[in-house]
Amino acid sequence: MSDLTPTPDRPGLHVSKPSPSAPATASAVCHCGATATANGDSQVKALVDGWTANHGPAHNQTGR
């Protein structure tokens, strides 16, 4: 499998949780230049919520 980590050349959001007992991890890179990482289920959920509201899909909706 190829590396799914987002980069400035391939912006996006990547979340990983290898098992139910392992903490989730996430990384995000937006085409606007914003970047973020998170460790732990609650921090990852906050990152995903923020990404959805302010980057990624939000840019497509508002044209920013």
Side-chain angles (χ1 to χ4, degrees):
M1 177 182 277
S2 65
D3 184 7
L4 299 176
T5 303
T7 66
D9 295 331
R10 288 188 347 252
L13 173 68
H14 181 254
V15 176
S16 177
K17 185 163 174 83
S19 74
S21 61
T25 61
S27 59
V29 176
C30 186
H31 62 84
C32 74
T35 63
T37 59
N39 293 302
D41 296 358
S42 62
Q43 288 183 349
V44 168
K45 181 180 180 329
L47 187 149
V48 171
D49 290 345
W51 169 265
T52 302
N54 302 301
H55 298 284
H59 286 299
N60 294 334
Q61 293 170 359
T62 63
R64 290 186 283 169

